Amino acid sequence: SQTIHQWPATLVQPVGSPLSLECTVEGTSNPNLYWYRQAAGRGLQLLFYSVGIGQISSEVPQNLSASRPQDRQFILSSKKLLLSDSGFYLCAWRDSGGGYTFGSGTRLTVV
Amino acid sequence: DAKTTQPPSMDCAEGRAANLPCNHSTISGNEYVYWYRQIHSQGPQYIIHGLKNNETNEMASLIITEDRKSSTLILPHATLRDTAVYYCIVRRNSGGYQKVTFGTGTKLQVIP
């Protein structure tokens, strides 16, 4: 069966520090992968998507970047975090039926 | 630029049916209606989806109007564990990348 892993679950980082959030998928190959961010009281905002290794598309200009070094690995990064980067970050995988499976999320607090 | 609109919040008494509406008046002929829910601090969970026929699974029922411009998610016997934010989205079931926007959803509060 297909599963999606995301870590860490929570993270507190100082302003200006780097960020690396990792997402891995098991049980499928060549998945479409997505990073979403959810600010408090708001919907899910699509940040990046990837249809294959090394292929990244950004939906919203921001202080973040994404990479896909392996087929089932998707990484969200920042060189210098801002206070506005705080939020709940979700990795998702789109299955062959068109539905999304989400990871458990990372709650990032930038202080 | 969400393609769906939902009421921001609803209350439902425990044991009663919860009916959550969603408007998707610009839905295309090849787009499906998907419902997800997000319990606090967890990733969204798939509930159900449909194209034009009504659908039912172990979690819920989905009623889609004949013109497909709106739908209703029905939780037949709401429990306290159904308290969550419910998202309605529309998307194609196949093809390459699609930009899918999740709106703010409906916050369902099940009351004892």
Side-chain angles (χ1 to χ4, degrees), chain B residues 69-112:
Chain B
K69 293 185 177 181
S70 65
S71 61
T72 301
L73 178 75
I74 301 173
L75 308 178
H77 305 287
T79 70
L80 297 178
R81 288 179 294 181
D82 292 322
T83 293
V85 177
Y86 288 77
Y87 295 98
C88 164
I89 64 169
V90 296
R91 61 165 296 122
R92 299 189 307 273
N93 248 15
S94 60
Y97 169 73
Q98 301 171 51
K99 179 177 180 179
V100 174
T101 303
F102 287 76
T104 52
T106 296
K107 185 174 183 179
L108 175 68
Q109 182 70 49
V110 180
I111 303 169

Side-chain angles (χ1 to χ4, degrees), chain A residues 32 34 36 38 41-46 49 51 59 88 90 94-105 107, chain B residues 34 36 38 40-46 49 87 89 91-105:
Chain A
N32 288 349
Y34 305 80
Y36 282 87
Q38 186 174 37
R42 303 184 66 179
L44 297 166
Q45 178 188 34
L46 178 62
Y49 71 93
V51 298
E59 283 294 320
F88 190 48
L90 288 154
R94 182 169 71 86
D95 60 40
S96 59
Y100 289 87
T101 297
F102 288 84
S104 53
R107 185 161 300 283
Chain B
Y34 279 81
Y36 294 80
Q38 185 178 24
H40 183 62
S41 296
Q42 297 182 23
Q45 174 193 26
Y46 166 82
H49 75 282
Y87 295 98
I89 64 169
R91 61 165 296 122
R92 299 189 307 273
N93 248 15
S94 60
Y97 169 73
Q98 301 171 51
K99 179 177 180 179
V100 174
T101 303
F102 287 76
T104 52

Side-chain angles (χ1 to χ4, degrees), chain B residues 15-84:
Chain B
R16 297 281 189 156
N19 298 293
L20 293 95
C22 179
N23 288 324
H24 31 79
S25 58
T26 60
I27 192 170
S28 300
N30 61 351
E31 289 183 316
Y32 287 67
V33 179
Y34 279 81
W35 282 84
Y36 294 80
R37 74 178 182 184
Q38 185 178 24
I39 297 172
H40 183 62
S41 296
Q42 297 182 23
Q45 174 193 26
Y46 166 82
I47 301 174
I48 199 168
H49 75 282
L51 181 63
K52 54 183 179 180
N53 297 323
N54 298 337
E55 302 288 344
T56 295
N57 62 20
E58 66 279 4
M59 291 182 69
S61 295
L62 175 60
I63 307 298
I64 302 174
T65 58
E66 190 170 346
D67 63 9
R68 302 206 328 120
K69 293 185 177 181
S70 65
S71 61
T72 301
L73 178 75
I74 301 173
L75 308 178
H77 305 287
T79 70
L80 297 178
R81 288 179 294 181
D82 292 322
T83 293

Side-chain angles (χ1 to χ4, degrees), chain A residues 13-77:
Chain A
Q13 291 284 97
V15 169
S17 64
L19 173 73
S20 180
L21 302 181
E22 189 163 344
C23 171
T24 59
V25 181
E26 294 179 359
T28 185
S29 59
N30 196 31
N32 288 349
L33 297 174
Y34 305 80
W35 277 109
Y36 282 87
R37 175 171 61 196
Q38 186 174 37
R42 303 184 66 179
L44 297 166
Q45 178 188 34
L46 178 62
L47 302 176
F48 301 95
Y49 71 93
S50 172
V51 298
I53 296 174
Q55 300 179 63
I56 307 295
S57 295
S58 174
E59 283 294 320
V60 181
Q62 58 217 327
N63 185 42
L64 302 169
S65 62
S67 62
R68 187 160 173 183
Q70 299 180 41
D71 181 45
R72 286 168 283 184
Q73 185 184 31
F74 203 21
I75 297 173
L76 182 69
S77 305

